[in-house]
Amino acid sequence: MAKNTRTSSTKRSAASTATQDDHSLLHDLFLDELRDIYWAEKHLTKALPKFRKATTNEELAAAFETHLGETEEQIARLEEVFEMMEVPARAKKCEGMEGLVKEGQQMIEETPKGTSTRDAALIISAQKVEHYEISAYGSLVQLAKTIGRTDVADILAETLEEEKATDQLLTELAISSINIEAGNEDEEDEE
Ligand SMILES: [Fe+2]
C-alpha cells in the first residue's frame, strides 16, 4: 500500500545539478586534457623520426613518415581548438606519452638492427601510442559534446579517425608481412 516516492525526487535533484556552463569543473577538465594531448603530440614529432630511422622496412618507414605529417596537422588542429575555446595554446607534460616513447626507445635498443623482429617491436610500440591517442581523443570528443561544444568535437573527431586509420595500417603491416618474416628469424641470424 505505501508507495515509495523518494526515488523520483532524488533523481530530480541530481538532474538539476548536471547543467553545464563555461566555468564548470568539466570545462576545466576538458582544457586540462587538451593541454595533455598537445604535449603528447609535440613529443611524438620528436619520437617518430627516431622510429623511422630504426626500421629498414620501406613500408613501415613510409607509415612513420606519413604519420609524422599527420601529427603536425593534428598539432595545428589543437591550436585551432585552443583558439575556439578562447584560451592560449599551452602544453602540459603528459607522463603517459613520455613513458610510451621511452618504452619504444628501449625496444629499439633491445632488438638487432635490420631485423623484422625489430620492425615487429616498433609496430607494437607505435600501436601502444596510437591506442593512447585513440583513448585521449575519444574522451575529448565526448567531453566537448557534453559541455555543448559540438564545433570543437567535430574537429577532434577528425584526428580520432586519423589515429584509428594509423592503428589499422600498422595492424595490416604486421599481419601481412612483418610478423611472418620475424617468425622466420632466430637468434643465430643476429649480427
Ligand atoms: Fe596524433
Side-chain angles (χ1 to χ4, degrees):
M1 260 196 11
K3 281 187 184 170
N4 187 354
T5 56
R6 275 193 305 183
T7 319
S8 59
S9 69
T10 309
K11 270 186 191 160
R12 245 196 322 275
S13 70
S16 67
T17 59
T19 53
Q20 301 302 328
D21 60 53
D22 275 358
H23 305 287
S24 67
L25 285 174
L26 200 66
H27 176 268
D28 293 346
L29 177 66
F30 174 77
L31 292 180
D32 217 48
E33 286 301 305
L34 211 56
R35 291 174 186 128
D36 179 280
I37 195 72
Y38 187 48
W39 191 97
E41 295 285 20
K42 284 184 154 190
H43 191 60
L44 202 54
T45 59
K46 289 179 238 159
L48 279 168
K50 290 179 194 164
F51 277 34
R52 188 196 183 285
K53 243 192 215 164
T55 179
T56 46
N57 182 294
E58 279 178 27
E59 281 179 290
L60 187 56
F64 287 144
E65 193 66 43
T66 303
H67 198 55
L68 177 60
E70 279 176 346
T71 302
E72 278 156 2
E73 273 175 47
Q74 292 167 357
I75 289 170
R77 227 175 256 150
L78 286 170
E79 285 164 354
E80 192 186 339
V81 168
F82 278 116
E83 213 176 304
M84 289 165 82
M85 297 304 292
E86 295 175 357
V87 292
R90 217 175 65 210
K92 182 187 167 199
K93 190 180 175 188
C94 170
E95 305 283 350
M97 185 59 79
E98 187 184 49
L100 289 172
V101 166
K102 258 189 205 162
E103 207 181 271
Q105 279 162 345
Q106 216 174 324
M107 296 266 255
I108 294 169
E109 284 160 27
E110 288 168 1
T111 50
K113 196 180 171 150
T115 61
S116 295
T117 303
R118 171 180 284 184
D119 295 334
L122 285 168
I123 290 179
I124 293 169
S125 289
Q127 285 195 293
K128 284 182 182 176
V129 166
E130 288 315 306
H131 281 243
Y132 182 91
E133 291 191 305
I134 289 166
S135 309
Y137 282 106
S139 303
L140 279 167
V141 167
Q142 287 312 315
L143 286 181
K145 285 181 185 168
T146 308
I147 62 172
R149 294 302 302 261
T150 49
D151 53 344
V152 165
D154 288 346
I155 293 173
L156 295 167
E158 279 178 48
T159 301
L160 177 60
E161 288 315 307
E162 278 175 5
E163 310 292 19
K164 284 183 186 170
T166 301
D167 179 51
Q168 190 62 40
L169 174 66
L170 291 168
T171 296
E172 278 159 26
L173 282 176
I175 61 176
S176 69
S177 56
I178 290 173
N179 284 3
I180 299 159
E181 287 157 19
N184 294 324
E185 290 171 343
D186 55 47
E187 287 180 51
E188 285 163 20
D189 294 341
E190 280 182 34
E191 289 167 297

